[in-house]
Amino acid sequence: MNCTEAQEKFADLLDGRLPEGGTADVRAHLASCPDCQRQYSSLAQTLAALDALPAAKPGPGLRKNFYAMLEEEKNSAASVAAAAARHRQAHRAVLWRWILAPLGAGALALGGFFAGTRYAPAPAMDAATKQEIASLRQRVDSVGQLVGMSLLQQRSTSERLQTVLATVDQKNPDQRMISNLIGALALDPSTNVRLSALDALYPHADQAFVRSGVLATLPREQNPLVQVAMIDFLVAARDREAVPELEKIVRNETIDRVVRDAARRGLAQL
Amino acid sequence: MPVITAYPEIRVDSTPFVVKSAPDAVDPATDTLTDHELMIAVRDGDLGALGELFERHHGPLYGFLVKLTNQRTAAEDIAQTVFQRMLKYRHTYRDDGSFTAWMYHLGRRCAADHFRKHNAAPAATDPASLQDHADDAPHAGDRAATRDDHALLHSALGRLDRDDREVLLLSRFQELSFAEIAAILECSVGAAKVRAHRALRELRDTYFRLQKEKPSLS
């Protein structure tokens, strides 16, 4: 080992972190080289002096200020935590009031209903009861229809279009299918599906509930293309009940001019 | 590097110089927790745990800052800011972190901010003012010589660049590995070692030159 190599290792030798093993060759060189000895000893002496510098002690202000600052932070952290807790509590109250409580009430009513049907003695069926059951069944059917509609919503646009077009091909679609078509006309996000649904409804325009369904959907419709098609449908069906709605459209200046023109023409024909 | 011949001879078979930073008195109740565990507790909301960390570390941190800045008041301000930032940025303390390295990292940043704000490099303190404090020399007879030696070294330290002073002081903290020092200085381990050694050589040159210039003091 020459002097340059040895002096490059001085840093390692002076650094107390390193194991002794890696420095044996430097020590061997040092033992035989007075020049490097002087270099090394001067560095070691400097470090010793540096390490021997008395540690300055801070004044009492540092500790006092630190604990004052810590207390302040603790208080503000506590107030933030309290505010967060209040917020969570308020959130829970809202959740309970608007969601969990109605759900709970519904579950209780359902439970009561099932318990009643299972354990209560079957009452003799009089005419009033039969009527009530019929109306209940109708409601259940309308729930089924809603579910059907929501299923209609979940499929892709082309699949929903297929469903609607399949309805057109049927010779005698049943009431539920027609309801689904009105549902699609009212709710489907795709313009194409709504227009197809309206086309599929043309053969059934003689049914009052189809006409009233289309009429009820008209104010909600935003697309001028579908609006005009609906107006044409109602005019073609000679639906006098559409007159007030069409007059409203003619008066409403925010509606597309093409739509208002169609409504005006329709009024003239009705 | 010029060959230096004027330095006094010293036995070379002495053991390496190891600094143990003097820890402050530690409360036995929390003594069992490591710095890291305490800081994790602070991060997770137990702010009181910072008190124990303050007691353990404010002394060495302050000592480091005094040597770095040569200004006692600035060192106190900066130390205060370091603990303030520990609270403020406690959420950034990492699970795999080293508390000491983090503290000196903050210390270095706070010192830089302090000097930027005051728009001035640290001025070398009149060494005489440093003698009013904490001089542990046991014998009155040794005192004058020791004082002079300390004053010379303070002067020599004050003449180093702040970056050099910083790396040299950090390298004397045995609880910091060079990997941690490199992380604090945001450089490679090799670069940190080279810088520390270069700073030591520079300090030595200045220190011995001052000793020669003022033979009456030594």
Side-chain angles (χ1 to χ4, degrees), chain A residues 47-62:
Chain A
L47 274 186
L50 183 62
D51 293 346
L53 275 183
K57 293 258 190 298
L62 182 59

Side-chain angles (χ1 to χ4, degrees), chain A residues 7-8 10-18 20 27 30-31 34-67 69-70 73-74 77, chain B residues 1-5 7-10 12 14 16-17 19 47-48 50-51 54-55 58 62 66-67 72 76 79-80 83-84 87 90 134 150 153-154 157 168 170-174 176-178 181 197 200-201 203-204 207-208:
Chain A
Q7 286 174 20
E8 277 171 5
F10 280 178
D12 289 345
L13 195 59
L14 291 162
D15 181 25
R17 294 173 190 79
L18 291 179
E20 289 289 305
R27 288 187 183 282
L30 271 176
D35 205 35
C36 281
Q37 273 180 28
R38 273 191 294 276
Q39 287 280 344
Y40 179 79
S41 66
S42 65
L43 289 171
Q45 202 184 11
T46 308
L47 274 186
L50 183 62
D51 293 346
L53 275 183
K57 293 258 190 298
L62 182 59
R63 179 179 271 109
K64 212 181 91 193
N65 291 340
F66 166 76
Y67 281 104
M69 187 256 303
L70 188 59
E73 185 67 26
K74 272 185 192 168
Chain B
M1 193 179 119
V3 176
I4 299 156
T5 51
Y7 301 146
E9 300 236 359
I10 276 192
V12 292
S14 56
F17 292 91
V19 175
L47 302 190
L50 194 68
F54 175 84
E55 295 303 336
H58 80 278
Y62 174 77
V66 168
K67 286 177 192 163
R72 299 178 63 90
E76 268 190 30
Q80 176 79 20
F83 284 98
Q84 229 164 18
L87 272 181
R90 59 184 182 270
H150 291 161
L153 195 65
H154 268 295
L157 260 180
L168 185 58
L170 285 174
S171 74
R172 298 316 292 162
F173 285 112
Q174 295 298 310
L176 291 176
S177 68
F178 253 104
I181 294 170
H197 195 57
L200 173 62
R201 286 202 309 266
L203 180 70
R204 172 197 62 184
Y207 180 48
F208 282 95

Side-chain angles (χ1 to χ4, degrees), chain A:
Chain A
M1 177 175 272
N2 62 29
C3 292
T4 314
E5 287 168 344
Q7 286 174 20
E8 277 171 5
K9 296 255 181 171
F10 280 178
D12 289 345
L13 195 59
L14 291 162
D15 181 25
R17 294 173 190 79
L18 291 179
E20 289 289 305
T23 56
D25 47 350
V26 189
R27 288 187 183 282
H29 174 85
L30 271 176
S32 62
C33 176
D35 205 35
C36 281
Q37 273 180 28
R38 273 191 294 276
Q39 287 280 344
Y40 179 79
S41 66
S42 65
L43 289 171
Q45 202 184 11
T46 308
L47 274 186
L50 183 62
D51 293 346
L53 275 183
K57 293 258 190 298
L62 182 59
R63 179 179 271 109
K64 212 181 91 193
N65 291 340
F66 166 76
Y67 281 104
M69 187 256 303
L70 188 59
E71 275 314 300
E72 198 178 317
E73 185 67 26
K74 272 185 192 168
N75 289 337
S76 86
S79 62
V80 166
R86 273 200 303 279
H87 180 77
R88 272 199 304 276
Q89 211 169 4
H91 186 70
R92 270 202 298 273
V94 166
L95 200 69
W96 173 250
R97 185 174 304 159
W98 295 110
I99 297 171
L100 294 179
L103 276 180
L108 211 63
L110 265 181
F113 177 76
F114 280 116
T117 51
R118 184 163 294 193
Y119 299 114
M125 288 255 217
D126 55 11
T129 316
K130 274 183 188 160
Q131 197 181 351
E132 206 169 323
I133 286 174
S135 101
L136 270 174
R137 188 164 290 147
Q138 200 181 345
R139 274 188 218 174
V140 169
D141 282 350
S142 72
V143 169
Q145 184 187 333
L146 264 180
V147 171
M149 244 174 256
S150 71
L151 286 176
L152 193 68
Q153 300 261 323
Q154 279 169 5
R155 291 190 218 127
S156 73
T157 307
S158 63
E159 279 176 317
R160 297 200 306 276
L161 207 54
Q162 291 275 316
T163 312
V164 169
L165 292 177
T167 319
V168 181
D169 290 343
Q170 288 213 342
K171 292 278 181 296
N172 294 309
D174 63 11
Q175 209 72 352
R176 179 177 298 184
M177 276 186 175
I178 293 173
S179 300
N180 274 346
L181 286 176
I182 296 173
L185 179 67
L187 302 171
D188 202 285
S190 157
T191 307
N192 280 338
V193 173
R194 296 204 298 280
L195 283 174
S196 301
L198 193 63
D199 282 344
L201 284 171
Y202 260 94
H204 315 290
D206 55 329
Q207 298 184 37
F209 93 96
V210 172
R211 292 196 302 273
S212 63
V214 174
L215 184 59
T217 314
L218 180 56
R220 294 162 41 105
E221 181 59 50
Q222 298 294 319
N223 188 311
L225 210 60
V226 186
Q227 283 172 316
V228 170
M230 281 176 168
I231 291 168
D232 288 348
F233 178 96
L234 292 169
V235 171
R238 304 265 160 216
D239 189 354
R240 293 285 306 165
E241 285 173 28
V243 171
E245 185 57 39
L246 294 184
E247 283 172 343
K248 222 188 280 178
I249 290 174
V250 171
R251 282 196 303 272
N252 189 341
E253 303 216 334
T254 59
I255 294 177
D256 196 291
R257 198 173 51 82
V258 179
V259 179
R260 283 190 285 141
D261 285 349
R264 201 173 292 121
R265 274 200 313 274
L267 279 175
Q269 290 184 36
L270 290 174

